Amino acid sequence: MHEIVSERSTWGERAAGVVAFLLLGAALGVVVAGSATSWEGLLLALAGMLAVVAGGWHLVSHRRIARSVGVATAAVGVGLLASGFVVAHLHGLLVATVVVLGFLSVGTVRYALHRSTRAWQELAQRQPPVPSARHPVLIMNPKSGGGKAERFHLVDECRRRGIEPIVLQPGDDLVQLAEDAIADGADVIGMAGGDGSQALVATVAARHDIPHVVVPAGTRNHFALDLGLDRDDVVGALDAYADGVEHRIDLATVNGRVFVNNATCGLYAKIVQSPEYRDAKRETAADMLPGLLGPDAVPLDLRFAGPDGTSYTSSHVILVSNNPYELHTLMGRGTRERMDLGVLGVVAARIADANDLRRFVALEATGQIRRFPGWLEWSAPEFRIDSGGPVEVGVDGEALVLDPPLVFRIRPGALRVRVPRHAVGRSPAAMAVHVASRSTITELARVVAGHAAGPR
């Protein structure tokens, strides 16, 4: 999603960049000055300072397990700092000073690089207005998300705002409902439901070049998350019809079927076929994995070419996404920094033996899945999987069986999507800051020099 931003950084952003460098420099100076009498103490303190800053930036940039890793890293850093100053026979006040300086740098860097909620909201306020919908329509699935549409009184909210509500009934064809609504004059159409339903309505909206509104009334709402919506503010998503910001994003297809998030083949696709999966995800996976990975398991017939053209005859996990994910675990799927890059994200993981499986599970549990030796990850506008028979596929969480070959393609800029102006408008991946990254330091220096951060 391209943001319309100034080509020059603001004085506030430049000031934040300067302050960030000063804070980091001050922290380093305190460490060096405080430990100069002891090289051992200096090395420990430097390592501690880096761990504190890295942990702090990870803490504010990620969620769940990855956030816990950030807390642990920062805690280890504090311990190393304290050890360094103890070795150097210095006062604990210096430890607190370095910790405070490191954490203060987090906020200033995020503001300077537009990685904070406040910065993105300020950018959203500067976006050119789009006309309010003349004939807004919202289709809603009353069963999605455990009945969120009814719990949040979406029908009443729609009528109060002049939005025509269409409630999906058993046996209804969702695609046909969307087609009929546009034929009757809908100029902005939305969907309140899960990501599979969002993809079907988005298919129709893209076909007619009509703006699409996402109302997070499903269970997990990954699509809404990557659009920067507050998944807990179901009613607030309706503001997009009257006071919205519009972006063009990509859609992905597998054998012509649109998906907004991802399609998976292999172990996960087989597991989601189980009727018990929706009500007991982890338990179902634990019951099925031994039969799928054990010594008597039949290799999965999933043939594809890797990023360098190497041919592979099997893979235990293949994930194809509508733009690349910032992946830390496969189960959590991560988030996407952008959805307008015009490429698919492709991931394949091959598990050779029991030792590989143990390592895979451990790395998955700790959010370090990219370190797995059988991991392949790349981007491409098209991807193909061949097989000797029908292939089980999980498409935006829906269990399907498709005939090979499976051909995945990206459709650049296919969908006009509207989000409320008050929404952040960016995913967690777009808000992340990586302290050890040369690109982060370079971008911060560019902001200080007067260039605007981004586009992101």
Side-chain angles (χ1 to χ4, degrees), residues 38 40-42 44-45 76-89 95:
S38 168
E40 296 87 349
L42 175 60
L44 281 171
V76 170
V78 172
L80 289 172
L81 270 171
S83 300
F85 288 136
V86 167
V87 170
H89 306 292
V95 177

Side-chain angles (χ1 to χ4, degrees), residues 300-312:
L300 299 172
D301 182 15
L302 299 171
R303 303 188 297 271
F304 64 96
D308 60 357
T310 301
S311 295
Y312 296 91

Side-chain angles (χ1 to χ4, degrees), residues 51-401:
V52 167
V53 177
W57 286 15
H58 211 67
L59 171 64
V60 299
S61 301
H62 297 84
R63 300 186 178 195
R64 296 175 182 171
I65 293 176
R67 175 169 285 186
S68 300
V69 172
V71 172
T73 302
V76 170
V78 172
L80 289 172
L81 270 171
S83 300
F85 288 136
V86 167
V87 170
H89 306 292
L90 293 173
H91 198 280
L93 179 62
L94 290 176
V95 177
T97 301
V98 174
V99 171
V100 170
L101 289 172
F103 274 95
L104 285 176
S105 72
V106 172
T108 54
V109 170
R110 294 193 74 192
Y111 180 82
L113 299 186
H114 299 165
R115 311 288 173 85
S116 68
T117 299
R118 181 176 179 181
W120 281 113
Q121 287 175 337
E122 289 176 357
L123 283 175
Q125 294 301 317
R126 300 204 294 266
Q127 299 298 301
V130 292
S132 297
R134 299 185 304 276
H135 184 179
V137 170
L138 177 68
I139 304 174
M140 58 189 78
N141 184 347
K143 295 184 178 181
S144 287
K148 282 186 179 179
E150 183 176 342
R151 192 159 66 249
F152 287 95
H153 308 288
L154 279 185
V155 171
D156 294 336
E157 285 289 341
C158 283
R159 288 174 176 156
R160 187 172 66 83
R161 297 165 181 252
I163 301 168
E164 179 186 349
I166 299 176
V167 180
L168 185 68
Q169 302 295 335
D172 281 347
D173 183 329
L174 181 53
V175 170
Q176 192 58 52
L177 284 179
E179 289 283 4
D180 292 344
I182 292 175
D184 290 340
D187 63 332
V188 179
I189 190 166
M191 180 67 211
D195 289 333
S197 299
Q198 297 290 350
L200 293 176
V201 175
T203 302
V204 179
R207 183 181 301 142
H208 296 277
D209 200 29
I210 297 295
H212 177 63
V213 171
V214 176
V215 177
T219 302
R220 303 187 74 177
N221 304 296
H222 284 295
F223 188 40
L225 175 66
D226 285 353
L227 289 173
L229 294 172
D230 181 350
R231 293 180 292 178
D232 296 324
D233 189 9
V234 177
V235 173
L238 299 177
D239 294 343
Y241 287 99
D243 184 24
V245 176
E246 187 172 306
H247 312 287
R248 274 202 177 270
I249 64 171
D250 307 334
L251 292 175
T253 64
V254 52
N255 290 7
R257 180 190 175 103
V258 166
F259 58 94
V260 293
N261 291 330
N262 59 72
T264 59
C265 303
L267 300 180
Y268 177 75
K270 284 186 173 293
I271 291 170
V272 298
Q273 303 285 332
S274 171
E276 293 81 21
Y277 176 74
R278 284 194 177 277
D279 296 326
K281 292 180 172 60
R282 291 190 181 275
E283 293 82 357
T284 303
D287 289 341
M288 294 182 66
L289 277 175
L292 295 171
L293 289 169
D296 297 327
V298 177
L300 299 172
D301 182 15
L302 299 171
R303 303 188 297 271
F304 64 96
D308 60 357
T310 301
S311 295
Y312 296 91
T313 58
S314 182
S315 183
H316 290 90
V317 177
I318 299 178
L319 182 145
V320 184
S321 58
N322 174 22
N323 283 257
Y325 279 96
E326 181 70 28
L327 285 170
H328 298 286
T329 71
L330 280 173
M331 293 301 290
R333 292 295 191 287
T335 62
R336 289 161 287 184
E337 182 177 322
R338 295 176 64 159
M339 284 189 283
D340 61 356
L341 297 175
V343 291
L344 302 165
V346 185
V347 167
R350 295 167 294 113
I351 302 171
D353 50 34
N355 288 331
D356 253 11
L357 175 59
R358 283 192 289 270
R359 186 170 184 178
F360 181 87
V361 172
L363 291 171
E364 163 76 16
T366 57
Q368 301 293 319
I369 194 63
R370 278 176 161 159
R371 295 177 58 189
F372 181 65
W375 183 268
L376 295 172
E377 184 175 358
W378 71 101
S379 300
E382 186 173 316
F383 178 66
R384 173 177 172 139
I385 298 175
D386 289 295
S387 182
V391 180
E392 293 165 318
V393 189
V395 180
D396 283 340
E398 302 293 326
L400 303 175
V401 178

